[in-house]
Amino acid sequence: MSKRDQRPPVPDRLPAPAIDAHTHLDACGAETAADVARLLDRAGEAGIERVVTVADDLAAARWAAEASTWDDRVFAACAVHPTRTKDFGDAEKSEVERLVRGERVVAVGETGLDYYWDYSPPEAQQEAFRWHIDLAKRVRKPLMIHDRDAHDDVLRILEEEGAPDTVVFHCFSGDAEMARRCADAGYVLSFAGTVTFRNARALHEAAKLVPSDGYLVETDAPFLTPHPFRGRPNEPYCAAYTVHGLAELRGEPVEDVANAVRANAERVFRLPSVTSG
């Protein structure tokens, strides 16, 4: 196995427990409850004590909802990814709504718009996005947004439909101006390993100006592994590297950022509160 195929080392435990707000445990190779426990045990070694595992199609949504019942450290988000909305009909909508109403499903997501890939027409994506917005409002759960090369349309549709009480921009990819617009609207920005990339200067500026109660940290594992392990397999424990990187960018103690990440995730997803120390 080449070094590029190897997982990064598990970092030293964070000085305060944190939460990975967006990961894909199934895509990390988990199939069974034992697999999930191994991933969460490894995450716990780094101080990442809970995760939200996220679906991108119906099969993943079924798995995520079930996996959230296997381990108290796991919660789920269910939706159909914008790139998979070409054939998003009544049967699919009915199943998504059934899954989203699960007790341990804490968000509607990931949904939104993706103009980078040409898998679903923009019209189908926008229709599905509007439906997911309405669903989030009906079930009173946060909306978890996937936004790739679609900033203006995402913000426009949120305004047209009326945003749910809580909106999370998963793997935030905007610049400082976009971050200000989101912050002014009360949206929460979730930073993935991309915020640690050396060439992500616009994202660095965005991360610096977000208020302390307005951000989360995620892995989006197995993708977007933080610097200096970019390109290698990602797992929830790697969120600890992003906590360190975000603390450095913001000029704040790592413990303060870890505490903010945990407290914000608990508020956003209505998770049981766990104090640090």
Side-chain angles (χ1 to χ4, degrees):
M1 180 185 293
S2 70
K3 189 172 183 180
R4 188 171 181 83
D5 295 326
Q6 296 175 5
R7 291 191 306 264
V10 177
D12 291 340
R13 187 178 181 85
L14 291 169
I19 294 172
D20 180 356
H22 186 117
T23 189
H24 300 271
L25 296 181
D26 54 341
C28 291
E31 296 180 0
T32 66
D35 295 335
V36 168
R38 279 191 290 270
L39 286 168
L40 269 293
D41 288 346
R42 196 149 49 232
E45 293 176 21
I48 307 300
E49 297 193 344
R50 287 173 288 177
V51 306
V52 178
T53 190
V54 182
D56 57 9
D57 61 20
L58 279 179
R62 296 184 199 108
W63 186 90
E66 183 176 2
S68 69
T69 69
W70 296 342
D71 194 304
D72 288 343
R73 299 169 291 181
V74 178
F75 299 87
C78 295
V80 170
H81 192 281
T83 60
R84 292 166 170 80
T85 54
K86 182 166 63 78
D87 301 309
F88 188 56
D90 289 343
E92 291 78 15
K93 292 174 182 177
S94 178
E95 184 160 15
V96 169
E97 180 161 350
R98 178 184 66 81
L99 292 168
V100 161
R101 291 184 182 276
E103 183 179 353
R104 294 186 63 81
V105 177
V106 297
V108 176
E110 58 187 284
T111 179
L113 302 175
D114 189 317
Y115 294 165
Y116 179 82
W117 298 108
D118 188 24
Y119 296 140
S120 295
E123 296 80 8
Q125 293 187 42
Q126 292 183 20
E127 181 181 350
F129 183 32
R130 293 178 190 274
W131 181 85
H132 282 96
I133 292 171
D134 178 68
L135 176 63
K137 290 191 288 190
R138 286 190 285 111
V139 300
R140 298 182 179 179
K141 292 185 179 182
L143 184 74
M144 184 182 285
I145 290 179
H146 173 103
D147 166 25
R148 189 165 188 187
D149 294 352
H151 300 329
D152 289 340
D153 277 357
V154 166
L155 292 174
R156 173 180 58 80
I157 290 172
L158 282 170
E159 184 175 356
E160 289 174 355
E161 295 297 317
D165 289 341
T166 305
V167 172
V168 176
F169 274 75
H170 136 68
C171 190
F172 181 76
S173 58
D175 57 12
E177 180 184 358
M178 174 73 173
R180 288 191 186 94
R181 293 173 70 184
C182 289
D184 288 346
Y187 303 153
V188 177
L189 308 185
S190 186
F191 292 103
T194 45
V195 80
T196 70
F197 294 174
R198 296 292 180 86
N199 60 348
R201 293 181 182 86
L203 188 55
H204 296 169
E205 294 306 310
K208 292 176 185 177
L209 63 82
V210 179
S212 60
D213 63 350
Y215 67 84
L216 302 169
V217 161
E218 63 171 83
T219 56
D220 199 22
F223 316 105
L224 306 179
T225 311
H227 177 83
F229 305 105
R230 185 176 181 178
R232 291 168 64 173
N234 200 4
E235 271 192 23
Y237 70 83
C238 292
Y241 288 113
T242 303
V243 170
H244 278 275
L246 193 56
E248 182 177 354
L249 280 171
R250 293 173 62 88
E252 298 172 356
V254 172
E255 183 173 5
D256 289 358
V257 171
N259 278 325
V261 164
R262 185 191 68 257
N264 293 342
E266 288 173 347
R267 184 190 76 250
V268 165
F269 300 121
R270 301 176 188 170
L271 308 182
S273 179
V274 176
T275 57
S276 63

